[in-house]
């Protein structure tokens, strides 16, 4: 009788092993909590105000609230086409192909280690855009608008090594900083309604990034301030550089 008991197969203590009887590797008693759905409004806002679109919005605003629409009348397409292609299509395509190749984990770049190659692609794209507009003889302050994203990309690439700063907030902060600097330091304008709208949008984007749990409040605030200050200074330096070059050419 004792020998019969000793010959009984040992019962497996691992519940996952019993899944073989059901044709799967999981126990019928295992439980996985359902994944929480991301808030749709926050997701939509994050897409609409994605950093890839900031260049398009920036050029569009120049034609909306400055005399660009008069100086370059009928040339909006000439400006927006290279901006759209180099600041939106190429960076977005790089992320798409990297994801398809399995080199990054997701399109949102949630893992900060996945950001380096897309940053390099965006950096090169903005360099080509600067070359295009410098060759066209555009104003120095306008070139400053294009230099600002390059500086921000470098800051983000360095910061990402040890901290996940919000690229979304850097983007919209850069848009607001450029707009403020162009208005106050170049054109002498004060479109306060536009400023109110932009700051409200920045607030909505910051809340959206927090709701989606992509960043901490510190990462959101820091990203916005860095984008705002860097872009404001880039346009300001470009404006002064333009004045200096104009005086030298007299």
């Amino acid at each position: 009788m004792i020998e019969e008991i000793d010959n009984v197969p040992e019962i497996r203590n691992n519940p996952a092993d019993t899944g073989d009887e059901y044709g799967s590797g999981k126990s019928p008693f295992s439980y996985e909590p359902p994944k929480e759905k991301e808030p749709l409004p926050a997701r939509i806002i994050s897409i609409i105000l994605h950093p890839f679109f900031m260049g398009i919005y920036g050029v569009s605003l120049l034609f909306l609230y400055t005399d660009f629409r008069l100086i370059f009348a009928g040339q909006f397409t000439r400006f927006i086409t290279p901006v759209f292609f180099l600041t939106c299509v190429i960076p977005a395509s790089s992320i798409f192909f990297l994801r398809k190749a399995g080199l990054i984990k997701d399109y949102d770049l949630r893992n900060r280690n996945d950001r380096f190659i897309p940053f390099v692609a965006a950096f090169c794209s903005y360099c080509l855009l600067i070359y295009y507009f410098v060759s066209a003889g555009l104003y120095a302050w306008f070139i400053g608008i294009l230099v600002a994203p390059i500086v921000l990309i470098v800051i983000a690439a360095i910061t990402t090594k040890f901290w996940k700063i919000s690229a979304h907030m850097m983007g919209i902060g850069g848009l607001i900083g450029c707009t403020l600097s162009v208005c106050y330091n170049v054109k002498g304008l004060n479109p306060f309604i536009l400023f109110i709208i932009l700051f409200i949008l920045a607030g909505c984007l910051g809340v959206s990034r927090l709701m989606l749990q992509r960043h901490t409040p510190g990462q959101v605030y820091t990203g916005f301030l860095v984008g705002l200050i860097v872009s404001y200074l880039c346009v300001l330096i470009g404006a002064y550089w333009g004045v200096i070059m104009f005086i030298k050419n007299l």
Side-chain angles (χ1 to χ4, degrees):
M1 186 65 180
I2 295 177
E3 293 178 357
E4 293 178 359
I5 294 175
D6 291 338
N7 292 330
V8 174
E10 182 181 357
I11 298 176
R12 289 171 291 188
N13 294 325
N14 187 355
D17 292 339
T18 61
D20 295 338
E21 300 175 1
Y22 298 89
S24 64
K26 294 184 179 180
S27 169
F29 304 106
S30 63
Y31 172 74
E32 293 183 0
K35 296 181 179 179
E36 295 183 1
K37 292 184 177 180
E38 296 179 339
L40 183 59
R43 186 65 179 164
I44 293 174
I45 292 173
S46 292
I47 294 174
I48 294 175
L49 298 178
H50 196 280
F52 290 163
F53 300 136
M54 292 300 112
I56 299 172
Y57 296 153
V59 172
S60 300
L61 287 177
L62 282 177
F63 278 87
L64 178 65
Y65 69 85
T66 72
D67 55 0
F68 247 53
R69 63 183 179 275
L70 301 176
I71 300 174
F72 300 100
Q75 300 187 51
F76 177 75
T77 303
R78 181 188 174 192
F79 278 83
I80 206 66
T81 300
V83 170
F84 172 73
F85 183 75
L86 290 173
T87 69
C88 184
V89 175
I90 290 182
S93 299
S94 69
I95 293 177
F96 175 79
F97 289 115
L98 286 171
R99 180 67 183 90
K100 290 299 182 181
L103 298 177
I104 60 176
K105 297 179 178 63
D106 56 70
Y107 293 113
D108 291 334
L109 304 178
R110 301 183 189 185
N111 189 330
R112 55 192 175 92
N113 294 324
D114 292 343
R115 292 181 164 193
F116 181 73
I117 299 179
F119 280 160
V120 172
F123 180 89
C124 295
S125 295
Y126 270 101
C127 287
L128 290 175
L129 190 64
I130 290 175
Y131 175 78
Y132 173 82
F133 283 112
V134 168
S135 300
L138 265 292
Y139 307 119
W141 62 264
F142 183 82
I143 303 302
I145 293 177
L146 304 179
V147 171
I150 290 183
V151 177
L152 292 176
I153 290 171
V154 172
I155 293 175
I158 295 173
T159 306
T160 297
K161 291 295 183 180
F162 55 89
W163 199 51
K164 190 183 177 184
I165 193 170
S166 176
H168 275 74
M169 296 308 296
M170 290 180 75
I172 197 166
L175 177 64
I176 294 176
C178 287
T179 304
L180 289 171
S181 195
V182 169
C183 286
Y184 293 145
N185 301 315
V186 179
K187 299 298 182 180
L189 303 174
N190 186 26
F192 64 93
I193 295 178
L194 175 63
F195 296 155
I196 292 173
I197 294 174
L198 290 176
F199 276 100
I200 290 175
L201 290 176
C204 292
L205 180 60
V207 172
S208 298
R209 303 308 290 170
L210 294 176
M211 291 179 63
L212 294 172
Q213 299 181 1
R214 297 292 192 272
H215 299 284
T216 64
Q219 293 167 348
V220 168
Y221 298 144
T222 304
F224 178 76
L225 290 176
V226 170
L228 178 69
I229 295 171
V230 168
S231 59
Y232 186 93
L233 292 176
C234 285
V235 177
L236 179 62
I237 293 171
Y240 278 109
W241 178 257
V243 172
I244 293 172
M245 294 304 296
F246 176 77
I247 293 175
K248 284 186 176 181
N249 292 329
L250 289 179

